[in-house]
Amino acid sequence: MHVLEKLSSAEAISLEEKFGAHNYHPLPVVLSRGEGVYVWDVEGKKYYDFLSAYSAVNQGHCHPKIINALIEQAQKLTLTSRAFYNDKLGVYEKFITDYFGFDKVLPMNTGAEAVETALKICRKWAYEKKGIAENFAQIIVCDGNFHGRTTTIISFSNDANARKNFGPYTEGFIQIPYDDVEALEKVLETSKNIAGFLVEPIQGEAGVYVPSEEFLAKAKALCEKHNVLFIADEVQTGIARTGSLLAVCGNCTCENKCEKQASYITPDILILGKAVSGGVYPVSAVLANDEIMNVIKPGQHGSTFGGNPLAAAVAMAALEVVNDEKLAQNARRLGKIFREKIGAYIQNSTIATLVRGKGLLNAIVINDTEDSDTAWNICMKLAENGLLAKPTHGNIIRFAPPLVMNETQLNECISIIINTLKEFEN
Ligand SMILES: Cc1ncc(COP(=O)(O)O)c(C=O)c1O
């Protein structure tokens, strides 16, 4: 078969089955085109995308401004490695540090790499600035966390499937329950060797768990009191997804950066990925101020592709789109409508028990056991009815459409979701 031959869904799936590692369990839908909030499969069926590649495609599929930046830069220079300077990286570094209000950025490619980068920076800071004895630094993490799939990251995951038979694990992590300020305080008060606290402002992968209103601000204050770095993993929640530029910014109404509000906190280290590029190219970033970032010296961290000119051009365009199109405000407004309407339906539902989330990162909890396949079956039916979503953990379905959605489209999607749930009511 010629590689460019048009495939049917069945053929494409069987190729992946036979020649690809089985490290994912996709819905049996084979996509070949995307535009804005829509994707099309190889047979031409149109769907609403309600996953946005796990919140990477916040700016919508194939956004023309981002694609133009990609094409223009691809025709000039794609990769130099960091052995040399290039004429895009510095411009991007200034742009993104201004955009998020930090002194410096360390550019990487994927979310997991950015998390690894943050952990390394945190440990080095602990030894060189805080004065923790070498090899004794501990980083606090939360139960139910999802920060990626590398060896160190799975070492502090409590997802048994992600860990089993991948040991021995990396040491130096202490787990506490999510959204538990007292547990955090207890650890901070009993150990002198705490370097950092790594946290997702909303636990997306775990099932869109939104912590209590004060959790992040209180946790940040405790970290400050104990000279511990507060590390926010906004790989999934960042870039307007939850109704503000960052989830740690709370509910600001600004156009560019978030105003300081009661719930606003500035992390010591900010981790971004996914929608930094609008899902067009793998771009991730770790941001921090000089006092922290300057612990990293030549040869101590890097990536051949990190900070390449193509990534820089794409990321600048993608971040401009977020401001140009007021995506945070749109996510906040549409998210409220989504939760109100789905919530009203759920009041009399036997199949769904709860809708929760912030902005356009939401989930519904299906009324069945965690190991049941009801959520999966509902997602299959949703696909049949023209909307793509995926269960996160067991009986929870995450809903995260591109943020360029308009209200008419959202209402159509709400009807599809409600009509699909109706098919499962008893
Ligand atoms: C909060 C969080 N951190 C890190 C990652 C890992 O990102 P990547 O898959 O790009 O390595 C993810 C991916 O879903 C995530 O949700």
Side-chain angles (χ1 to χ4, degrees):
M1 181 197 315
H2 191 274
V3 282
L4 294 178
E5 205 172 287
K6 199 165 181 294
L7 296 176
S8 69
S9 288
E11 286 165 334
I13 290 170
S14 85
L15 283 174
E16 285 201 28
E17 276 292 306
K18 181 141 195 260
F19 299 107
H22 293 179
N23 55 332
Y24 278 88
H25 180 37
L27 278 191
V29 173
V30 180
L31 303 174
S32 60
R33 189 160 79 85
E35 192 183 317
V37 297
Y38 302 111
V39 283
W40 286 261
D41 70 16
V42 290
E43 278 83 23
K45 182 173 163 73
K46 183 179 176 184
Y47 305 85
Y48 279 108
D49 178 1
F50 250 68
L51 185 64
S52 307
Y54 300 108
S55 295
V57 191
N58 289 1
Q59 296 87 335
H61 288 276
C62 298
H63 193 292
K65 178 166 176 164
I66 310 174
I67 297 302
N68 283 341
L70 177 88
I71 293 169
E72 224 175 82
Q73 186 59 39
Q75 287 167 337
K76 284 192 210 141
L77 184 67
T78 56
L79 185 64
T80 56
S81 81
R82 299 289 301 279
F84 310 107
Y85 291 89
N86 70 65
D87 68 350
K88 277 285 170 297
L89 178 57
V91 178
Y92 165 61
E93 289 172 334
K94 178 169 181 350
F95 178 93
I96 192 169
T97 51
D98 282 350
Y99 196 97
F100 290 103
F102 287 87
D103 291 341
K104 282 199 168 49
V105 62
L106 200 160
M108 296 295 282
N109 313 287
T110 66
E113 279 179 331
V115 173
E116 292 274 355
T117 305
L119 297 174
K120 282 178 71 179
I121 294 169
C122 179
R123 284 179 167 182
K124 204 149 190 295
W125 170 88
Y127 299 129
E128 295 176 7
K129 300 280 180 181
K130 181 164 174 171
I132 292 177
E134 198 177 345
N135 293 329
F136 280 88
Q138 302 268 1
I139 294 174
I140 303 172
V141 297
C142 294
D143 289 342
N145 69 69
F146 184 87
H147 298 284
R149 286 284 187 246
T150 60
T151 316
T152 291
I153 292 172
I154 58 133
S155 295
F156 56 81
S157 161
N158 49 4
D159 176 344
N161 183 40
R163 283 170 59 88
K164 189 161 168 48
N165 290 337
F166 294 114
Y169 304 112
T170 310
E171 291 176 20
F173 299 95
I174 298 176
Q175 267 185 306
I176 60 165
Y178 188 60
D179 194 15
D180 190 337
V181 177
E182 274 144 39
L184 177 65
E185 188 165 27
K186 200 164 157 208
V187 177
L188 289 171
E189 272 170 6
T190 46
S191 173
K192 292 259 161 296
N193 292 328
I194 307 297
F197 174 48
L198 171 66
V199 65
E200 296 157 86
I202 291 172
Q203 286 192 327
E205 210 57 32
V208 190
Y209 286 102
V210 183
S212 51
E213 195 69 24
E214 297 292 298
F215 171 61
L216 296 170
K218 284 190 177 160
K220 173 68 164 79
L222 279 172
C223 287
E224 270 172 28
K225 181 175 163 201
H226 293 272
N227 193 25
V228 158
L229 300 185
F230 185 103
I231 309 167
D233 180 349
E234 294 243 20
V235 168
Q236 186 163 160
T237 52
I239 329 286
R241 169 57 56 190
T242 64
S244 47
L245 183 57
L246 299 172
V248 288
C249 292
N251 296 316
C252 69
T253 52
C254 62
E255 277 180 32
N256 300 307
K257 285 181 205 155
C258 299
E259 289 164 8
K260 291 208 173 202
Q261 304 251 332
S263 55
Y264 178 96
I265 60 154
T266 306
D268 299 300
I269 302 181
L270 172 65
I271 305 168
L272 297 172
K274 296 186 194 272
V276 171
S277 71
V280 168
Y281 194 82
V283 183
S284 65
V286 178
L287 292 126
N289 285 339
D290 283 339
E291 194 195 68
I292 296 165
M293 193 65 95
N294 286 346
V295 299
I296 294 291
K297 302 281 186 299
Q300 295 171 352
H301 196 64
S303 154
T304 303
F305 279 83
N308 71 70
L310 194 54
V314 165
M316 282 188 281
L319 290 171
E320 274 172 5
V321 168
V322 173
N323 281 347
D324 293 350
E325 301 186 19
K326 298 189 172 37
L327 296 187
Q329 291 87 330
N330 196 44
R332 194 177 321 144
R333 194 173 65 82
L334 295 194
K336 271 196 198 122
I337 297 172
F338 182 85
R339 286 184 298 281
E340 268 166 28
K341 293 196 171 171
I342 298 285
Y345 172 77
I346 282 177
Q347 285 196 336
N348 298 312
S349 168
T350 56
I351 190 65
T353 57
L354 184 72
V355 58
R356 63 172 171 239
K358 205 163 181 200
L360 281 174
L361 181 60
N362 294 291
I364 62 170
V365 179
I366 297 303
N367 188 14
D368 208 336
T369 54
E370 282 208 12
D371 58 354
S372 76
D373 45 18
T374 311
W376 174 270
N377 293 336
I378 291 173
C379 288
M380 292 287 287
K381 210 26 135 187
L382 281 169
E384 212 180 294
N385 294 339
L387 186 146
L388 295 179
K390 188 102 196 287
T392 52
H393 266 71
N395 58 350
I396 301 167
I397 303 174
R398 172 175 32 201
F399 290 107
L403 310 182
V404 291
M405 180 161 272
N406 64 38
E407 195 172 334
T408 311
Q409 292 165 334
L410 180 79
N411 282 326
E412 197 186 330
C413 293
I414 291 170
S415 298
I416 295 174
I417 294 167
I418 289 176
N419 288 334
T420 305
L421 289 175
K422 280 182 185 163
E423 297 184 48
F424 289 82
E425 302 286 359
N426 52 37

